[in-house]
Amino acid sequence: MEELDGQYAEIEGRGLVTFVRSYETGAGDLWEAVATADGLDGWFPSHVALDPDAGLVSFSGDPNAEPSSGRILDWEPPNRWAFAWGGDLMELVVEGTDAAAELTLRNWLADSATAARNAAGWHVCLGELEKRLGGSRSSGASAGGPDAGAAEDSLDWRTLYDGYVAAGLPSGAPIPGQTP
């Protein structure tokens, strides 16, 4: 099974899922991939429209979620941005050089019971980001959902979810697109 590199912690009573991934691409290219609509398309679980000047971000195109919007809370190009999405807070931090870069993705959870579900989803999404940065075609905008793994070269969401549950991440939240 794929290494489970998503980490869980509780800080001041709020659950946090964190991933730190390194990429063989420049920090500028990684920033473009995580902070522009074109870059996010194909690895992020929804299509994203960004308006940093207005502080708005909107999400659509996920077959398992209604279109929604959020507020950009921090916008610090080319290194960091954060936004509210539902009750969650997302933070993406890029560090590196022209030759190599590191992404830290933090998902502050509104409900800790979503930790295993979200960790599995972000794990799949970051696998899609790696393919995209490496020049491969990713599986699409809902790459991190429970149907992920249908494509032959995609990570299997269910296997990852079960692994994160077995590793002790809180679970029990509904799985979008699946009936209880």
Side-chain angles (χ1 to χ4, degrees):
M1 176 170 51
E2 173 89 3
E3 178 186 351
L4 300 177
D5 61 335
Q7 300 296 312
Y8 178 78
E10 285 198 17
I11 299 174
E12 297 180 8
R14 189 164 187 180
L16 170 65
V17 172
T18 302
F19 286 87
V20 179
R21 297 274 178 101
S22 297
Y23 300 94
E24 293 182 17
T25 192
D29 290 338
L30 182 56
W31 177 257
E32 286 292 315
V34 303
T36 67
D38 286 344
L40 290 160
D41 192 38
W43 76 267
F44 200 79
S46 297
H47 295 290
V48 178
L50 297 169
D51 187 346
D53 294 330
L56 299 175
V57 58
S58 61
F59 311 96
S60 64
D62 183 335
N64 298 309
E66 293 292 320
S68 63
S69 62
R71 182 148 186 77
I72 296 174
L73 304 172
D74 290 301
W75 184 257
E76 303 167 16
N79 301 106
R80 178 180 177 275
W81 76 291
F83 58 96
W85 190 11
D88 286 5
L89 171 66
M90 295 296 306
E91 180 184 25
L92 298 148
V93 179
V94 174
E95 298 176 299
T97 66
D98 288 341
E102 182 177 270
L103 172 67
T104 302
L105 179 148
R106 293 184 186 99
N107 181 184
W108 296 88
L109 306 169
D111 179 355
S112 292
T114 63
R117 180 192 75 190
N118 289 15
W122 291 123
H123 196 120
V124 171
C125 289
L126 292 172
E128 295 297 314
L129 174 60
E130 186 170 354
K131 286 193 280 187
R132 183 177 178 94
L133 290 171
S136 299
R137 188 167 196 277
S138 65
S139 299
S142 59
D147 298 327
E152 193 171 307
D153 62 344
S154 293
L155 296 170
D156 181 61
W157 180 90
R158 175 54 72 178
T159 300
L160 291 165
Y161 174 76
D162 291 343
Y164 280 114
V165 170
L169 272 70
S171 62
I175 308 296
Q178 297 186 3
T179 54

